[in-house]
Amino acid sequence: MLGERVACWVSVPDAPADADSGYPVLHLLHGRGSGYAHTLRLLERIRAAEAAGRVPPHVVTGIDAPWSDRAGWYADSVHPRGRPVATALLDDVLPALEAALPVRADRRTRAVGGWSMGAAGALRLALLRPRAFSRVLALSPAVYEALPPPGSNIRVFGAFGDATTAFDEARWRRVNHAVLIAARDRRWPLRVAVAVGDAEVPGLREARALHRALADRGADSGLRVLPGGHDWTVWRPGCDWAWPWLWRTGCGDSPPMANSD
């Protein structure tokens, strides 16, 4: 769909997979202006949790998103600077990756996560394709209940623009997270771990609104507020809490009802 190669890294654990079914898988998305190499910082925390016996061993991938000057927001853009990023990841990139890896073809053991723009993208992919993901790792997710504030790079690079403008308010209102959450199909169990810094403005307010909205639509949502701002002082300890929390037993492990989509 994109007509180009997508850079990524893949990490397969040393520990053996359960029986012959393959490993669970976590796909990591980077933040605005960053790159896939930066997601290795989260791999360190994932492997530490596995070594402590807090989560099962996972195949982990880190995917690069260079489109729209690294501000594509993992959305399907119709702006000249953008690309259909969400659809390309869901239909082409992730299936190709998983076909080449020893992972389970099961939404119950497939997770997606990231920080800031990457956390917003992870949530977007899970909401757009509920049959694909059961868990979302959301570190300081850059989501907005209403319009993004003036000066936000969401308005600048075309991820939510139209054919002529970089930001189209009407398009945003049709495709933002609040709309996707409101339309969420409750038949597909979803668990979302949200970690945010107490000094994040407006991130803390928006994270609390996200947590409430997800819970209202039947998702198993956890929220942890940590000391710090929109940076790795929050994202590292946030991951240390969020990743094991996502893998506790309970809601999120049941298959969906028959004939749901």
Side-chain angles (χ1 to χ4, degrees), residues 1 76 84-95 107 110 112 121-136 180 184-185 188-190 261:
M1 176 171 288
D76 283 345
V85 178
T87 299
L89 290 178
L90 289 168
D91 290 348
D92 296 339
V93 177
L94 298 187
R107 74 177 299 274
R110 185 185 292 115
V112 61
L123 184 60
R124 175 175 298 280
L125 297 186
L127 292 169
L128 286 172
R129 194 64 58 83
R131 67 177 180 269
F133 303 99
S134 64
R135 292 169 171 84
V136 178
L180 296 177
R184 195 185 93 77
D185 189 339
W188 295 91
L190 180 66
D261 190 9

PDB file of all heavy atoms in Angstrom, residues 1 76 84-95 107 110 112 121-136 180 184-185 188-190 261:
ATOM      1  N   MET A   1       0.824  -1.210   0.000  1.00  0.00           N
ATOM      2  CA  MET A   1       0.000   0.000   0.000  1.00  0.00           C
ATOM      3  C   MET A   1       0.859   1.261   0.000  1.00  0.00           C
ATOM      4  O   MET A   1       0.557   2.227  -0.680  1.00  0.00           O
ATOM      5  CB  MET A   1      -0.937  -0.004   1.191  1.00  0.00           C
ATOM      6  CG  MET A   1      -1.764   1.268   1.340  1.00  0.00           C
ATOM      7  SD  MET A   1      -3.033   1.150   2.601  1.00  0.00           S
ATOM      8  CE  MET A   1      -4.178   0.045   1.791  1.00  0.00           C
ATOM      9  N   ASP A  76      -4.657   7.507   8.893  1.00  0.00           N
ATOM     10  CA  ASP A  76      -4.792   7.539   7.438  1.00  0.00           C
ATOM     11  C   ASP A  76      -4.972   8.982   6.994  1.00  0.00           C
ATOM     12  O   ASP A  76      -6.039   9.571   7.162  1.00  0.00           O
ATOM     13  CB  ASP A  76      -5.991   6.695   6.994  1.00  0.00           C
ATOM     14  CG  ASP A  76      -5.695   5.212   7.018  1.00  0.00           C
ATOM     15  OD1 ASP A  76      -4.506   4.842   7.102  1.00  0.00           O
ATOM     16  OD2 ASP A  76      -6.655   4.417   6.952  1.00  0.00           O
ATOM     17  N   PRO A  84      -1.554   6.707   3.981  1.00  0.00           N
ATOM     18  CA  PRO A  84      -2.548   5.915   4.716  1.00  0.00           C
ATOM     19  C   PRO A  84      -1.873   5.008   5.735  1.00  0.00           C
ATOM     20  O   PRO A  84      -1.851   3.785   5.611  1.00  0.00           O
ATOM     21  CB  PRO A  84      -3.244   5.122   3.600  1.00  0.00           C
ATOM     22  CG  PRO A  84      -2.187   4.944   2.565  1.00  0.00           C
ATOM     23  CD  PRO A  84      -1.369   6.206   2.604  1.00  0.00           C
ATOM     24  N   VAL A  85      -1.320   5.610   6.776  1.00  0.00           N
ATOM     25  CA  VAL A  85      -0.426   4.896   7.679  1.00  0.00           C
ATOM     26  C   VAL A  85      -1.143   3.801   8.464  1.00  0.00           C
ATOM     27  O   VAL A  85      -0.655   2.665   8.559  1.00  0.00           O
ATOM     28  CB  VAL A  85       0.259   5.884   8.642  1.00  0.00           C
ATOM     29  CG1 VAL A  85       1.165   5.143   9.616  1.00  0.00           C
ATOM     30  CG2 VAL A  85       1.051   6.926   7.859  1.00  0.00           C
ATOM     31  N   ALA A  86      -2.294   4.103   9.049  1.00  0.00           N
ATOM     32  CA  ALA A  86      -2.995   3.113   9.875  1.00  0.00           C
ATOM     33  C   ALA A  86      -3.343   1.873   9.065  1.00  0.00           C
ATOM     34  O   ALA A  86      -3.075   0.738   9.490  1.00  0.00           O
ATOM     35  CB  ALA A  86      -4.250   3.732  10.482  1.00  0.00           C
ATOM     36  N   THR A  87      -3.928   2.059   7.906  1.00  0.00           N
ATOM     37  CA  THR A  87      -4.322   0.917   7.080  1.00  0.00           C
ATOM     38  C   THR A  87      -3.111   0.134   6.611  1.00  0.00           C
ATOM     39  O   THR A  87      -3.129  -1.108   6.576  1.00  0.00           O
ATOM     40  CB  THR A  87      -5.155   1.392   5.879  1.00  0.00           C
ATOM     41  OG1 THR A  87      -6.335   2.034   6.356  1.00  0.00           O
ATOM     42  CG2 THR A  87      -5.561   0.221   4.994  1.00  0.00           C
ATOM     43  N   ALA A  88      -2.041   0.830   6.252  1.00  0.00           N
ATOM     44  CA  ALA A  88      -0.835   0.138   5.804  1.00  0.00           C
ATOM     45  C   ALA A  88      -0.242  -0.714   6.920  1.00  0.00           C
ATOM     46  O   ALA A  88       0.179  -1.862   6.690  1.00  0.00           O
ATOM     47  CB  ALA A  88       0.190   1.153   5.307  1.00  0.00           C
ATOM     48  N   LEU A  89      -0.199  -0.179   8.139  1.00  0.00           N
ATOM     49  CA  LEU A  89       0.322  -0.959   9.257  1.00  0.00           C
ATOM     50  C   LEU A  89      -0.559  -2.167   9.543  1.00  0.00           C
ATOM     51  O   LEU A  89      -0.064  -3.285   9.727  1.00  0.00           O
ATOM     52  CB  LEU A  89       0.433  -0.086  10.501  1.00  0.00           C
ATOM     53  CG  LEU A  89       1.516   1.004  10.479  1.00  0.00           C
ATOM     54  CD1 LEU A  89       1.465   1.811  11.771  1.00  0.00           C
ATOM     55  CD2 LEU A  89       2.902   0.416  10.287  1.00  0.00           C
ATOM     56  N   LEU A  90      -1.860  -1.948   9.568  1.00  0.00           N
ATOM     57  CA  LEU A  90      -2.781  -3.026   9.940  1.00  0.00           C
ATOM     58  C   LEU A  90      -2.885  -4.109   8.866  1.00  0.00           C
ATOM     59  O   LEU A  90      -2.983  -5.297   9.186  1.00  0.00           O
ATOM     60  CB  LEU A  90      -4.169  -2.438  10.208  1.00  0.00           C
ATOM     61  CG  LEU A  90      -4.294  -1.601  11.483  1.00  0.00           C
ATOM     62  CD1 LEU A  90      -5.613  -0.841  11.493  1.00  0.00           C
ATOM     63  CD2 LEU A  90      -4.171  -2.473  12.726  1.00  0.00           C
ATOM     64  N   ASP A  91      -2.860  -3.708   7.607  1.00  0.00           N
ATOM     65  CA  ASP A  91      -3.109  -4.672   6.524  1.00  0.00           C
ATOM     66  C   ASP A  91      -1.837  -5.234   5.893  1.00  0.00           C
ATOM     67  O   ASP A  91      -1.870  -6.332   5.325  1.00  0.00           O
ATOM     68  CB  ASP A  91      -3.954  -4.015   5.424  1.00  0.00           C
ATOM     69  CG  ASP A  91      -5.380  -3.765   5.858  1.00  0.00           C
ATOM     70  OD1 ASP A  91      -5.789  -4.295   6.908  1.00  0.00           O
ATOM     71  OD2 ASP A  91      -6.101  -3.028   5.156  1.00  0.00           O
ATOM     72  N   ASP A  92      -0.742  -4.486   5.970  1.00  0.00           N
ATOM     73  CA  ASP A  92       0.474  -4.911   5.277  1.00  0.00           C
ATOM     74  C   ASP A  92       1.641  -5.181   6.230  1.00  0.00           C
ATOM     75  O   ASP A  92       2.174  -6.280   6.271  1.00  0.00           O
ATOM     76  CB  ASP A  92       0.909  -3.840   4.258  1.00  0.00           C
ATOM     77  CG  ASP A  92      -0.111  -3.646   3.148  1.00  0.00           C
ATOM     78  OD1 ASP A  92      -0.925  -4.560   2.930  1.00  0.00           O
ATOM     79  OD2 ASP A  92      -0.111  -2.577   2.521  1.00  0.00           O
ATOM     80  N   VAL A  93       2.035  -4.171   6.993  1.00  0.00           N
ATOM     81  CA  VAL A  93       3.282  -4.254   7.747  1.00  0.00           C
ATOM     82  C   VAL A  93       3.201  -5.292   8.865  1.00  0.00           C
ATOM     83  O   VAL A  93       4.040  -6.205   8.955  1.00  0.00           O
ATOM     84  CB  VAL A  93       3.670  -2.873   8.304  1.00  0.00           C
ATOM     85  CG1 VAL A  93       4.938  -2.984   9.155  1.00  0.00           C
ATOM     86  CG2 VAL A  93       3.878  -1.880   7.169  1.00  0.00           C
ATOM     87  N   LEU A  94       2.204  -5.165   9.741  1.00  0.00           N
ATOM     88  CA  LEU A  94       2.135  -6.080  10.882  1.00  0.00           C
ATOM     89  C   LEU A  94       1.866  -7.523  10.454  1.00  0.00           C
ATOM     90  O   LEU A  94       2.515  -8.441  10.979  1.00  0.00           O
ATOM     91  CB  LEU A  94       1.087  -5.596  11.881  1.00  0.00           C
ATOM     92  CG  LEU A  94       1.360  -4.229  12.514  1.00  0.00           C
ATOM     93  CD1 LEU A  94       0.348  -3.934  13.607  1.00  0.00           C
ATOM     94  CD2 LEU A  94       2.767  -4.141  13.071  1.00  0.00           C
ATOM     95  N   PRO A  95       0.943  -7.783   9.512  1.00  0.00           N
ATOM     96  CA  PRO A  95       0.775  -9.176   9.065  1.00  0.00           C
ATOM     97  C   PRO A  95       2.043  -9.762   8.448  1.00  0.00           C
ATOM     98  O   PRO A  95       2.360 -10.933   8.680  1.00  0.00           O
ATOM     99  CB  PRO A  95      -0.352  -9.074   8.029  1.00  0.00           C
ATOM    100  CG  PRO A  95      -1.133  -7.877   8.445  1.00  0.00           C
ATOM    101  CD  PRO A  95      -0.113  -6.904   8.953  1.00  0.00           C
ATOM    102  N   ARG A 107      -5.520 -12.557  18.851  1.00  0.00           N
ATOM    103  CA  ARG A 107      -5.626 -11.210  19.409  1.00  0.00           C
ATOM    104  C   ARG A 107      -5.381 -11.181  20.911  1.00  0.00           C
ATOM    105  O   ARG A 107      -4.943 -10.178  21.449  1.00  0.00           O
ATOM    106  CB  ARG A 107      -7.007 -10.603  19.100  1.00  0.00           C
ATOM    107  CG  ARG A 107      -8.136 -11.191  19.939  1.00  0.00           C
ATOM    108  CD  ARG A 107      -9.480 -10.523  19.682  1.00  0.00           C
ATOM    109  NE  ARG A 107      -9.479  -9.113  19.997  1.00  0.00           N
ATOM    110  CZ  ARG A 107      -9.706  -8.622  21.205  1.00  0.00           C
ATOM    111  NH1 ARG A 107      -9.906  -9.428  22.240  1.00  0.00           N
ATOM    112  NH2 ARG A 107      -9.726  -7.315  21.394  1.00  0.00           N
ATOM    113  N   ARG A 110      -1.761 -10.487  21.467  1.00  0.00           N
ATOM    114  CA  ARG A 110      -1.159  -9.449  20.634  1.00  0.00           C
ATOM    115  C   ARG A 110      -1.418  -8.091  21.275  1.00  0.00           C
ATOM    116  O   ARG A 110      -2.557  -7.737  21.577  1.00  0.00           O
ATOM    117  CB  ARG A 110      -1.730  -9.466  19.228  1.00  0.00           C
ATOM    118  CG  ARG A 110      -1.032  -8.474  18.274  1.00  0.00           C
ATOM    119  CD  ARG A 110      -1.704  -8.425  16.919  1.00  0.00           C
ATOM    120  NE  ARG A 110      -1.531  -9.671  16.185  1.00  0.00           N
ATOM    121  CZ  ARG A 110      -2.539 -10.492  15.860  1.00  0.00           C
ATOM    122  NH1 ARG A 110      -3.782 -10.200  16.209  1.00  0.00           N
ATOM    123  NH2 ARG A 110      -2.301 -11.595  15.182  1.00  0.00           N
ATOM    124  N   VAL A 112      -0.080  -3.718  21.433  1.00  0.00           N
ATOM    125  CA  VAL A 112       0.551  -2.607  20.730  1.00  0.00           C
ATOM    126  C   VAL A 112       0.744  -1.485  21.736  1.00  0.00           C
ATOM    127  O   VAL A 112      -0.066  -1.309  22.652  1.00  0.00           O
ATOM    128  CB  VAL A 112      -0.307  -2.164  19.522  1.00  0.00           C
ATOM    129  CG1 VAL A 112      -1.686  -1.688  19.944  1.00  0.00           C
ATOM    130  CG2 VAL A 112       0.400  -1.123  18.674  1.00  0.00           C
ATOM    131  N   GLY A 121      -1.116   6.451  18.647  1.00  0.00           N
ATOM    132  CA  GLY A 121      -1.224   5.560  17.495  1.00  0.00           C
ATOM    133  C   GLY A 121      -1.583   4.144  17.889  1.00  0.00           C
ATOM    134  O   GLY A 121      -2.381   3.477  17.213  1.00  0.00           O
ATOM    135  N   ALA A 122      -1.001   3.655  18.982  1.00  0.00           N
ATOM    136  CA  ALA A 122      -1.322   2.307  19.446  1.00  0.00           C
ATOM    137  C   ALA A 122      -2.804   2.186  19.772  1.00  0.00           C
ATOM    138  O   ALA A 122      -3.471   1.212  19.403  1.00  0.00           O
ATOM    139  CB  ALA A 122      -0.467   1.967  20.668  1.00  0.00           C
ATOM    140  N   LEU A 123      -3.318   3.178  20.471  1.00  0.00           N
ATOM    141  CA  LEU A 123      -4.736   3.171  20.806  1.00  0.00           C
ATOM    142  C   LEU A 123      -5.589   3.245  19.537  1.00  0.00           C
ATOM    143  O   LEU A 123      -6.604   2.540  19.414  1.00  0.00           O
ATOM    144  CB  LEU A 123      -5.051   4.331  21.732  1.00  0.00           C
ATOM    145  CG  LEU A 123      -6.477   4.428  22.254  1.00  0.00           C
ATOM    146  CD1 LEU A 123      -6.847   3.186  23.056  1.00  0.00           C
ATOM    147  CD2 LEU A 123      -6.648   5.681  23.102  1.00  0.00           C
ATOM    148  N   ARG A 124      -5.173   4.074  18.591  1.00  0.00           N
ATOM    149  CA  ARG A 124      -5.916   4.190  17.334  1.00  0.00           C
ATOM    150  C   ARG A 124      -5.995   2.839  16.614  1.00  0.00           C
ATOM    151  O   ARG A 124      -7.063   2.422  16.156  1.00  0.00           O
ATOM    152  CB  ARG A 124      -5.256   5.232  16.437  1.00  0.00           C
ATOM    153  CG  ARG A 124      -5.875   5.349  15.044  1.00  0.00           C
ATOM    154  CD  ARG A 124      -5.261   6.477  14.251  1.00  0.00           C
ATOM    155  NE  ARG A 124      -5.506   7.746  14.909  1.00  0.00           N
ATOM    156  CZ  ARG A 124      -6.649   8.419  14.826  1.00  0.00           C
ATOM    157  NH1 ARG A 124      -7.657   7.939  14.092  1.00  0.00           N
ATOM    158  NH2 ARG A 124      -6.802   9.561  15.460  1.00  0.00           N
ATOM    159  N   LEU A 125      -4.860   2.147  16.486  1.00  0.00           N
ATOM    160  CA  LEU A 125      -4.860   0.867  15.782  1.00  0.00           C
ATOM    161  C   LEU A 125      -5.762  -0.151  16.476  1.00  0.00           C
ATOM    162  O   LEU A 125      -6.499  -0.897  15.821  1.00  0.00           O
ATOM    163  CB  LEU A 125      -3.438   0.326  15.682  1.00  0.00           C
ATOM    164  CG  LEU A 125      -2.426   1.149  14.873  1.00  0.00           C
ATOM    165  CD1 LEU A 125      -1.110   0.387  14.750  1.00  0.00           C
ATOM    166  CD2 LEU A 125      -2.952   1.523  13.502  1.00  0.00           C
ATOM    167  N   ALA A 126      -5.703  -0.184  17.818  1.00  0.00           N
ATOM    168  CA  ALA A 126      -6.526  -1.148  18.552  1.00  0.00           C
ATOM    169  C   ALA A 126      -8.013  -0.854  18.413  1.00  0.00           C
ATOM    170  O   ALA A 126      -8.835  -1.773  18.371  1.00  0.00           O
ATOM    171  CB  ALA A 126      -6.124  -1.152  20.026  1.00  0.00           C
ATOM    172  N   LEU A 127      -8.370   0.423  18.355  1.00  0.00           N
ATOM    173  CA  LEU A 127      -9.776   0.779  18.213  1.00  0.00           C
ATOM    174  C   LEU A 127     -10.268   0.576  16.778  1.00  0.00           C
ATOM    175  O   LEU A 127     -11.418   0.187  16.557  1.00  0.00           O
ATOM    176  CB  LEU A 127      -9.991   2.231  18.639  1.00  0.00           C
ATOM    177  CG  LEU A 127      -9.800   2.513  20.135  1.00  0.00           C
ATOM    178  CD1 LEU A 127      -9.762   4.013  20.392  1.00  0.00           C
ATOM    179  CD2 LEU A 127     -10.902   1.855  20.957  1.00  0.00           C
ATOM    180  N   LEU A 128      -9.396   0.838  15.817  1.00  0.00           N
ATOM    181  CA  LEU A 128      -9.782   0.641  14.423  1.00  0.00           C
ATOM    182  C   LEU A 128      -9.920  -0.840  14.075  1.00  0.00           C
ATOM    183  O   LEU A 128     -10.757  -1.203  13.242  1.00  0.00           O
ATOM    184  CB  LEU A 128      -8.745   1.271  13.494  1.00  0.00           C
ATOM    185  CG  LEU A 128      -8.734   2.785  13.381  1.00  0.00           C
ATOM    186  CD1 LEU A 128      -7.526   3.243  12.575  1.00  0.00           C
ATOM    187  CD2 LEU A 128     -10.020   3.300  12.731  1.00  0.00           C
ATOM    188  N   ARG A 129      -9.111  -1.690  14.697  1.00  0.00           N
ATOM    189  CA  ARG A 129      -9.100  -3.109  14.354  1.00  0.00           C
ATOM    190  C   ARG A 129      -9.232  -3.937  15.623  1.00  0.00           C
ATOM    191  O   ARG A 129      -8.286  -4.525  16.108  1.00  0.00           O
ATOM    192  CB  ARG A 129      -7.809  -3.435  13.619  1.00  0.00           C
ATOM    193  CG  ARG A 129      -7.810  -4.781  12.902  1.00  0.00           C
ATOM    194  CD  ARG A 129      -8.827  -4.879  11.776  1.00  0.00           C
ATOM    195  NE  ARG A 129      -8.637  -3.856  10.768  1.00  0.00           N
ATOM    196  CZ  ARG A 129      -7.763  -3.934   9.755  1.00  0.00           C
ATOM    197  NH1 ARG A 129      -7.004  -5.010   9.625  1.00  0.00           N
ATOM    198  NH2 ARG A 129      -7.692  -2.970   8.855  1.00  0.00           N
ATOM    199  N   PRO A 130     -10.435  -3.979  16.205  1.00  0.00           N
ATOM    200  CA  PRO A 130     -10.596  -4.661  17.497  1.00  0.00           C
ATOM    201  C   PRO A 130     -10.302  -6.150  17.444  1.00  0.00           C
ATOM    202  O   PRO A 130      -9.966  -6.744  18.470  1.00  0.00           O
ATOM    203  CB  PRO A 130     -12.061  -4.380  17.857  1.00  0.00           C
ATOM    204  CG  PRO A 130     -12.726  -4.049  16.562  1.00  0.00           C
ATOM    205  CD  PRO A 130     -11.690  -3.367  15.738  1.00  0.00           C
ATOM    206  N   ARG A 131     -10.425  -6.759  16.280  1.00  0.00           N
ATOM    207  CA  ARG A 131     -10.133  -8.183  16.204  1.00  0.00           C
ATOM    208  C   ARG A 131      -8.627  -8.474  16.217  1.00  0.00           C
ATOM    209  O   ARG A 131      -8.228  -9.636  16.256  1.00  0.00           O
ATOM    210  CB  ARG A 131     -10.753  -8.787  14.948  1.00  0.00           C
ATOM    211  CG  ARG A 131     -10.160  -8.309  13.627  1.00  0.00           C
ATOM    212  CD  ARG A 131     -10.809  -9.038  12.454  1.00  0.00           C
ATOM    213  NE  ARG A 131     -10.279  -8.604  11.170  1.00  0.00           N
ATOM    214  CZ  ARG A 131     -10.776  -7.630  10.445  1.00  0.00           C
ATOM    215  NH1 ARG A 131     -11.825  -6.955  10.894  1.00  0.00           N
ATOM    216  NH2 ARG A 131     -10.257  -7.306   9.269  1.00  0.00           N
ATOM    217  N   ALA A 132      -7.804  -7.414  16.157  1.00  0.00           N
ATOM    218  CA  ALA A 132      -6.358  -7.615  16.081  1.00  0.00           C
ATOM    219  C   ALA A 132      -5.657  -7.536  17.424  1.00  0.00           C
ATOM    220  O   ALA A 132      -4.667  -8.238  17.645  1.00  0.00           O
ATOM    221  CB  ALA A 132      -5.745  -6.594  15.125  1.00  0.00           C
ATOM    222  N   PHE A 133      -6.123  -6.671  18.344  1.00  0.00           N
ATOM    223  CA  PHE A 133      -5.386  -6.400  19.569  1.00  0.00           C
ATOM    224  C   PHE A 133      -6.284  -6.513  20.793  1.00  0.00           C
ATOM    225  O   PHE A 133      -7.436  -6.104  20.768  1.00  0.00           O
ATOM    226  CB  PHE A 133      -4.806  -4.981  19.546  1.00  0.00           C
ATOM    227  CG  PHE A 133      -3.903  -4.704  18.373  1.00  0.00           C
ATOM    228  CD1 PHE A 133      -4.384  -4.023  17.269  1.00  0.00           C
ATOM    229  CD2 PHE A 133      -2.590  -5.132  18.383  1.00  0.00           C
ATOM    230  CE1 PHE A 133      -3.566  -3.763  16.183  1.00  0.00           C
ATOM    231  CE2 PHE A 133      -1.760  -4.887  17.305  1.00  0.00           C
ATOM    232  CZ  PHE A 133      -2.250  -4.198  16.196  1.00  0.00           C
ATOM    233  N   SER A 134      -5.711  -7.029  21.880  1.00  0.00           N
ATOM    234  CA  SER A 134      -6.444  -7.075  23.143  1.00  0.00           C
ATOM    235  C   SER A 134      -5.837  -6.170  24.203  1.00  0.00           C
ATOM    236  O   SER A 134      -6.473  -5.914  25.223  1.00  0.00           O
ATOM    237  CB  SER A 134      -6.479  -8.506  23.691  1.00  0.00           C
ATOM    238  OG  SER A 134      -5.162  -8.959  23.998  1.00  0.00           O
ATOM    239  N   ARG A 135      -4.615  -5.656  23.966  1.00  0.00           N
ATOM    240  CA  ARG A 135      -3.918  -4.881  24.986  1.00  0.00           C
ATOM    241  C   ARG A 135      -3.207  -3.682  24.374  1.00  0.00           C
ATOM    242  O   ARG A 135      -2.629  -3.772  23.285  1.00  0.00           O
ATOM    243  CB  ARG A 135      -2.889  -5.752  25.722  1.00  0.00           C
ATOM    244  CG  ARG A 135      -3.525  -6.840  26.576  1.00  0.00           C
ATOM    245  CD  ARG A 135      -2.475  -7.832  27.052  1.00  0.00           C
ATOM    246  NE  ARG A 135      -3.016  -8.762  28.028  1.00  0.00           N
ATOM    247  CZ  ARG A 135      -3.674  -9.870  27.726  1.00  0.00           C
ATOM    248  NH1 ARG A 135      -3.900 -10.185  26.472  1.00  0.00           N
ATOM    249  NH2 ARG A 135      -4.137 -10.650  28.684  1.00  0.00           N
ATOM    250  N   VAL A 136      -3.227  -2.554  25.098  1.00  0.00           N
ATOM    251  CA  VAL A 136      -2.571  -1.335  24.646  1.00  0.00           C
ATOM    252  C   VAL A 136      -1.733  -0.770  25.791  1.00  0.00           C
ATOM    253  O   VAL A 136      -2.238  -0.533  26.890  1.00  0.00           O
ATOM    254  CB  VAL A 136      -3.589  -0.272  24.185  1.00  0.00           C
ATOM    255  CG1 VAL A 136      -2.865   1.012  23.762  1.00  0.00           C
ATOM    256  CG2 VAL A 136      -4.444  -0.799  23.034  1.00  0.00           C
ATOM    257  N   LEU A 180     -13.756   7.226  18.104  1.00  0.00           N
ATOM    258  CA  LEU A 180     -13.475   5.798  18.020  1.00  0.00           C
ATOM    259  C   LEU A 180     -13.860   5.073  19.308  1.00  0.00           C
ATOM    260  O   LEU A 180     -14.385   3.951  19.268  1.00  0.00           O
ATOM    261  CB  LEU A 180     -11.994   5.578  17.723  1.00  0.00           C
ATOM    262  CG  LEU A 180     -11.489   6.098  16.375  1.00  0.00           C
ATOM    263  CD1 LEU A 180      -9.981   5.877  16.262  1.00  0.00           C
ATOM    264  CD2 LEU A 180     -12.213   5.443  15.219  1.00  0.00           C
ATOM    265  N   ARG A 184     -16.839   2.070  20.115  1.00  0.00           N
ATOM    266  CA  ARG A 184     -16.180   0.796  20.407  1.00  0.00           C
ATOM    267  C   ARG A 184     -17.169  -0.334  20.610  1.00  0.00           C
ATOM    268  O   ARG A 184     -18.171  -0.196  21.312  1.00  0.00           O
ATOM    269  CB  ARG A 184     -15.326   0.942  21.676  1.00  0.00           C
ATOM    270  CG  ARG A 184     -14.332  -0.191  21.853  1.00  0.00           C
ATOM    271  CD  ARG A 184     -13.589  -0.079  23.166  1.00  0.00           C
ATOM    272  NE  ARG A 184     -14.225  -0.838  24.227  1.00  0.00           N
ATOM    273  CZ  ARG A 184     -14.146  -2.160  24.363  1.00  0.00           C
ATOM    274  NH1 ARG A 184     -13.484  -2.872  23.478  1.00  0.00           N
ATOM    275  NH2 ARG A 184     -14.742  -2.776  25.362  1.00  0.00           N
ATOM    276  N   ASP A 185     -16.875  -1.468  19.991  1.00  0.00           N
ATOM    277  CA  ASP A 185     -17.698  -2.663  20.113  1.00  0.00           C
ATOM    278  C   ASP A 185     -17.321  -3.389  21.401  1.00  0.00           C
ATOM    279  O   ASP A 185     -16.216  -3.919  21.531  1.00  0.00           O
ATOM    280  CB  ASP A 185     -17.482  -3.565  18.900  1.00  0.00           C
ATOM    281  CG  ASP A 185     -18.463  -4.719  18.840  1.00  0.00           C
ATOM    282  OD1 ASP A 185     -19.048  -5.070  19.888  1.00  0.00           O
ATOM    283  OD2 ASP A 185     -18.646  -5.272  17.741  1.00  0.00           O
ATOM    284  N   TRP A 188     -15.562  -7.055  21.966  1.00  0.00           N
ATOM    285  CA  TRP A 188     -14.137  -7.338  21.877  1.00  0.00           C
ATOM    286  C   TRP A 188     -13.449  -6.822  23.147  1.00  0.00           C
ATOM    287  O   TRP A 188     -13.271  -5.627  23.310  1.00  0.00           O
ATOM    288  CB  TRP A 188     -13.537  -6.647  20.654  1.00  0.00           C
ATOM    289  CG  TRP A 188     -14.070  -7.157  19.362  1.00  0.00           C
ATOM    290  CD1 TRP A 188     -15.132  -6.679  18.670  1.00  0.00           C
ATOM    291  CD2 TRP A 188     -13.555  -8.254  18.614  1.00  0.00           C
ATOM    292  NE1 TRP A 188     -15.316  -7.398  17.527  1.00  0.00           N
ATOM    293  CE2 TRP A 188     -14.356  -8.380  17.463  1.00  0.00           C
ATOM    294  CE3 TRP A 188     -12.483  -9.140  18.790  1.00  0.00           C
ATOM    295  CZ2 TRP A 188     -14.135  -9.359  16.499  1.00  0.00           C
ATOM    296  CZ3 TRP A 188     -12.263 -10.113  17.829  1.00  0.00           C
ATOM    297  CH2 TRP A 188     -13.071 -10.218  16.703  1.00  0.00           C
ATOM    298  N   PRO A 189     -13.059  -7.687  24.054  1.00  0.00           N
ATOM    299  CA  PRO A 189     -12.401  -7.234  25.285  1.00  0.00           C
ATOM    300  C   PRO A 189     -11.126  -6.452  24.975  1.00  0.00           C
ATOM    301  O   PRO A 189     -10.346  -6.829  24.091  1.00  0.00           O
ATOM    302  CB  PRO A 189     -12.083  -8.536  26.028  1.00  0.00           C
ATOM    303  CG  PRO A 189     -13.071  -9.524  25.490  1.00  0.00           C
ATOM    304  CD  PRO A 189     -13.260  -9.155  24.057  1.00  0.00           C
ATOM    305  N   LEU A 190     -10.924  -5.374  25.709  1.00  0.00           N
ATOM    306  CA  LEU A 190      -9.760  -4.522  25.503  1.00  0.00           C
ATOM    307  C   LEU A 190      -9.241  -4.046  26.848  1.00  0.00           C
ATOM    308  O   LEU A 190     -10.017  -3.583  27.683  1.00  0.00           O
ATOM    309  CB  LEU A 190     -10.127  -3.312  24.635  1.00  0.00           C
ATOM    310  CG  LEU A 190      -8.986  -2.330  24.329  1.00  0.00           C
ATOM    311  CD1 LEU A 190      -7.917  -2.992  23.466  1.00  0.00           C
ATOM    312  CD2 LEU A 190      -9.525  -1.071  23.662  1.00  0.00           C
ATOM    313  N   ASP A 261     -17.152  -8.247  14.459  1.00  0.00           N
ATOM    314  CA  ASP A 261     -16.047  -7.746  13.632  1.00  0.00           C
ATOM    315  C   ASP A 261     -15.470  -6.494  14.244  1.00  0.00           C
ATOM    316  O   ASP A 261     -16.162  -5.755  14.890  1.00  0.00           O
ATOM    317  CB  ASP A 261     -16.560  -7.471  12.229  1.00  0.00           C
ATOM    318  CG  ASP A 261     -15.414  -7.193  11.269  1.00  0.00           C
ATOM    319  OD1 ASP A 261     -14.254  -7.379  11.655  1.00  0.00           O
ATOM    320  OD2 ASP A 261     -15.679  -6.779  10.137  1.00  0.00           O
TER     321      ASP A 261
END
